[in-house]
């Protein structure tokens, strides 16, 4: 059964450094998402992406964040200059279309900012 | 603003007991409601959605628009039901899922 994959599973970085989190959505899916979960808190929506552009973003998704689909398979989240408060689990998700409803989640990347 | 509230952080029951995980939401439009589950060391996965009106692994959930609730129920809990359960809302014409804080269900024998 196809699954969303994410790399790396754990990323440790120094404050101020740039990080790129990578995701491979399910191949025939059209909508891609990033969520994050700070330890002990709820899963929070960051951004959705469709047809090579952002379709919706939350107030968390400020100028420090960007997303890209550099090729036909990868979907990336870049944090330009990481802060301590960016430490969280980042989940990628995809779905085939809005009418389908269900979003399929990846296993997550744990980002630790020191 | 849209919000999903799961009032219980932890729910502990014995095997065979009934389970009800509470979820309330605030949204002025017609939402789509979901329950996602995360078993230990596994990814978030969909358990059920209100528009399918189906029972999955013995769980059901009914959308009550008057009470703005979408409680998850199972008549007889099993140990393998132990997991973190998240209620989520999708706005009309939106893409984002808005999650509650989650409830850990612990079923012991």
């Amino acid at each position: 059964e196809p699954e969303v994959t994410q790399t790396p599973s754990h990323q440790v970085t120094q404050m101020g450094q740039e990080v790129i989190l990578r995701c491979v959505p399910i191949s025939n899916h059209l909508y891609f998402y990033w969520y994050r979960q700070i330890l002990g808190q709820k899963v929070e929506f960051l951004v959705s992406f469709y047809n090579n552009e952002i379709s919706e973003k939350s107030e968390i998704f400020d100028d420090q964040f960007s997303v890209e689909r550099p090729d036909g398979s990868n979907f990336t989240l870049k944090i330009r200059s990481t802060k301590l408060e960016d430490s969280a689990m980042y989940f990628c998700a995809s779905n085939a279309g809005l009418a389908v409803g269900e979003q399929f989640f990846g296993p997550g990347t744990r980002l630790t900012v020191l | 603003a849209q919000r999903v509230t799961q009032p219980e952080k932890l729910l502990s029951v014995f095997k065979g007991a009934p389970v009800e995980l509470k979820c309330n939401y605030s949204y002025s439009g017609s939402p789509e409601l979901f329950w996602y589950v995360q078993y230990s060391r596994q990814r978030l996965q969909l358990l059920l959605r209100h528009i399918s009106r189906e029972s999955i692994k013995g769980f059901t959930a009914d959308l009550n628009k008057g009470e703005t609730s979408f409680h998850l129920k199972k008549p007889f809990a099993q140990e393998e039901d132990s997991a973190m359960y998240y209620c989520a809302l999708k706005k009309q014409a939106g893409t984002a899922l808005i999650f509650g804080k989650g409830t850990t269900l612990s079923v012991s024998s």
Side-chain angles (χ1 to χ4, degrees):
Chain A
E1 189 174 328
E3 289 184 328
V4 176
T5 60
Q6 290 186 243
T7 53
S9 56
H10 191 188
Q11 172 103 38
V12 180
T13 190
Q14 296 289 326
M15 192 169 57
Q17 294 295 304
E18 174 184 285
V19 294
I20 297 176
L21 309 183
R22 299 178 197 280
C23 168
V24 179
I26 294 172
S27 66
N28 62 344
H29 282 187
L30 302 175
Y31 284 82
F32 315 118
Y33 310 83
W34 284 102
Y35 293 84
R36 78 169 186 195
Q37 186 175 31
I38 295 170
L39 189 63
Q41 299 187 27
K42 65 171 75 175
V43 176
E44 299 173 293
F45 168 75
L46 293 178
V47 66
S48 60
F49 192 84
Y50 169 72
N51 200 26
N52 277 324
E53 58 184 33
I54 290 173
S55 50
E56 189 176 356
K57 62 181 181 179
S58 72
E59 57 194 28
I60 302 168
F61 193 86
D62 61 21
D63 292 343
Q64 288 287 83
F65 292 91
S66 61
V67 288
E68 197 179 26
R69 188 148 161 87
D71 53 42
S73 59
N74 288 284
F75 179 52
T76 61
L77 174 70
K78 184 194 290 187
I79 310 175
R80 273 184 245 296
S81 176
T82 49
K83 302 188 280 270
L84 295 176
E85 53 266 37
D86 293 326
S87 294
M89 185 72 101
Y90 288 80
F91 295 105
C92 175
S94 69
N95 69 355
L98 292 185
V100 172
E102 177 180 2
Q103 294 180 19
F104 292 82
F105 282 79
T109 292
R110 179 164 297 285
L111 176 66
T112 302
V113 182
L114 303 175
Chain B
Q2 305 76 39
R3 188 166 55 243
V4 175
T5 303
Q6 293 179 253
E8 303 130 333
K9 199 169 179 180
L10 172 66
L11 186 62
S12 296
V13 301
F14 288 107
K15 179 180 164 182
V19 167
E20 183 179 45
L21 294 142
K22 291 186 169 27
C23 172
N24 288 89
Y25 67 90
S26 63
Y27 176 55
S28 54
S30 291
E32 201 172 337
L33 274 296
F34 302 83
W35 277 99
Y36 275 80
V37 61
Q38 189 170 30
Y39 300 103
S40 179
R41 299 190 208 290
Q42 293 188 30
R43 63 187 68 200
L44 268 168
Q45 56 188 276
L46 180 68
L47 181 61
L48 49 81
R49 49 194 295 216
H50 88 268
I51 61 174
S52 354
R53 301 184 65 82
E54 58 192 342
S55 172
I56 305 288
K57 300 185 180 184
F59 285 97
T60 58
D62 289 316
L63 178 60
N64 184 324
K65 289 187 178 180
E67 295 182 1
T68 59
S69 68
F70 188 56
H71 303 325
L72 183 69
K73 299 177 186 179
K74 184 168 182 176
F76 306 105
Q78 303 298 314
E79 286 180 78
E80 55 266 30
D81 296 329
S82 296
M84 181 72 123
Y85 290 80
Y86 294 95
C87 183
L89 173 155
K90 189 171 86 70
K91 295 182 291 184
Q92 233 172 335
T95 57
L97 286 175
I98 299 161
F99 284 88
K101 287 188 176 181
T103 298
T104 300
L105 175 63
S106 174
V107 183
S108 53
S109 54

